């Protein structure tokens, strides 16, 4: 898979691995890089079947496949221990990786993630699938900001969103791949196995997330043995972009506690 290794390159540098959400792009984490590269070795990657990691995904594609693909990449880079940060679908990859390869993870940060399907998110993803199938990529991309960001942030960042939409449309994945990725996150359910995950975990959730209710993160906090929940009032589903300063502060404070 396409990946980048940024920041410190010395052997003593703590390694951070970032996994993005449904879009699957390393580009999603650009707002975090300026505060991390001086102190950390940072690995970002395009997930299989997305962006620069071209692949035809199988019909039975799952979050388990995604975690396995990341494990293969990290093994190829000789990463033996790392701190994992995952947003939404990327957070599901982290939970699965913690089950598959617990010794690999020193800690994990899961942002607006979940352990099992919920009816509200299922409705949102059904709408997104309908847009993609019936109206095409342009309509899907145009609607994306509505699921990710607060309304006032959208109104105040029209120019940036226009650039983001143009980039997303120019690099839009094959429709079959995207539908299989949505099916994978809809099918994900590790609720009964959360007690087996002993990785120190920070859960970041947003009260105004209209795609994934914050109570999904609260459920994770209750059931993961070594988890803490940090609930943010503002930022929508992607506060790493829409409220970067606050998000970065919370992330850095947790990472500094782990190292």
């Amino acid at each position: 898979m396409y990946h980048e290794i940024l920041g410190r390159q010395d052997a003593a540098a703590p390694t951070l691995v970032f996994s993005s959400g449904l879009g699957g792009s390393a580009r999603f984490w650009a707002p975090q890089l300026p505060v991390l590269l001086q102190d950390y070795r940072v690995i970002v990657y395009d997930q299989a079947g997305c962006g620069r990691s071209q692949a035809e995904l199988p019909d039975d594609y799952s979050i388990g496949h995604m975690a396995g693909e990341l494990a293969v990449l990290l093994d190829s880079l000789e990463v033996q221990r790392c701190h994992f940060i995952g947003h939404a679908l990327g957070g599901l990859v982290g939970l699965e990786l913690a089950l598959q390869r617990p010794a690999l993870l020193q800690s994990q940060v899961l942002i607006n993630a979940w352990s099992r399907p919920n009816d509200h998110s299922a409705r949102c993803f059904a709408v997104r699938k309908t847009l993609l199938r019936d109206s095409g990529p342009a309509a899907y991309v145009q609607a994306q900001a509505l699921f990710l960001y607060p309304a006032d942030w959208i109104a105040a960042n029209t120019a940036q969103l226009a650039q983001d939409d143009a980039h997303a449309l120019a690099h839009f994945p094959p429709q079959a791949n995207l539908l299989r990725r949505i099916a994978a996150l809809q099918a994900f359910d590790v609720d009964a196995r959360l007690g087996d995950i002993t990785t120190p975990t920070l859960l970041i959730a947003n009260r105004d997330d209209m795609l994934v209710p914050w109570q999904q993160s609260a459920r994770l906090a209750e059931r993961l043995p070594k988890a803490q929940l940090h609930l943010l009032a503002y930022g929508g589903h992607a506060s790493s972009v829409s409220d970067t300063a606050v998000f970065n502060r919370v992330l850095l404070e947790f990472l500094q506690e782990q190292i």
Side-chain angles (χ1 to χ4, degrees), residues 62-236:
S62 68
I63 301 296
H65 285 108
M66 297 181 203
E69 289 159 355
L70 178 55
V72 169
L73 172 63
L74 296 178
D75 287 345
S76 74
L77 299 176
E78 299 183 348
V79 174
Q80 297 180 351
R81 296 277 280 166
C82 66
H83 303 272
F84 177 90
I85 300 95
H87 173 254
L89 178 147
L92 313 190
V93 173
L95 289 169
E96 184 66 37
L97 195 61
L99 290 166
Q100 290 186 14
R101 298 279 298 274
L104 182 60
L105 301 185
Q106 291 173 266
S107 72
Q108 59 181 352
V109 180
L110 310 179
I111 304 131
N112 293 322
W114 61 93
S115 60
R116 64 176 184 178
N118 73 87
D119 291 340
H120 172 78
S121 298
R123 178 183 290 265
C124 293
F125 284 113
V127 169
R128 297 177 82 176
K129 287 196 295 185
T130 299
L131 280 170
L132 179 58
R133 286 171 168 158
D134 296 348
S135 301
Y140 179 94
V141 168
Q142 187 177 34
Q144 185 164 263
L146 303 177
F147 294 101
L148 294 181
Y149 307 121
D152 63 327
W153 191 90
I154 292 173
N157 291 273
T158 303
Q160 178 181 334
L161 286 173
Q163 292 177 355
D164 291 346
D165 288 355
H167 183 275
L169 197 55
H171 298 84
F172 202 79
Q175 178 174 306
N177 279 356
L178 183 52
L179 291 173
R180 287 165 185 158
R181 285 171 58 77
I182 294 175
L185 65 81
Q186 289 179 310
F188 181 76
D189 188 343
V190 294
D191 206 60
R193 302 180 65 193
L194 292 178
D196 297 333
I197 298 175
T198 58
T199 305
T201 301
L202 172 65
L203 301 157
I204 300 178
N206 292 79
R207 287 189 180 274
D208 62 346
D209 183 351
M210 65 81 62
L211 180 58
V212 180
W214 66 266
Q215 290 87 350
Q216 296 298 107
S217 291
R219 183 178 184 86
L220 287 168
E222 291 171 358
R223 293 174 174 243
L224 290 169
K226 295 182 180 180
Q228 55 183 289
L229 173 64
H230 194 110
L231 194 55
L232 301 174
Y234 179 79

Side-chain angles (χ1 to χ4, degrees), residues 11-28:
T15 298
L16 311 182
V17 176
F18 283 83
S19 185
S20 60
L22 182 58
S25 174
R27 185 173 180 264
F28 178 78

Side-chain angles (χ1 to χ4, degrees), residues 12-66:
T15 298
L16 311 182
V17 176
F18 283 83
S19 185
S20 60
L22 182 58
S25 174
R27 185 173 180 264
F28 178 78
W29 300 105
Q32 282 59 66
L33 297 181
V35 300
L36 296 172
L37 298 186
Q38 181 176 343
D39 297 319
Y40 300 100
R41 179 190 191 212
V42 176
I43 299 174
V44 294
Y45 70 106
D46 286 357
Q47 295 170 11
C50 302
R52 294 155 289 189
S53 296
Q54 296 186 12
E56 182 178 347
L57 304 180
D59 290 337
D60 63 346
Y61 196 59
S62 68
I63 301 296
H65 285 108
M66 297 181 203

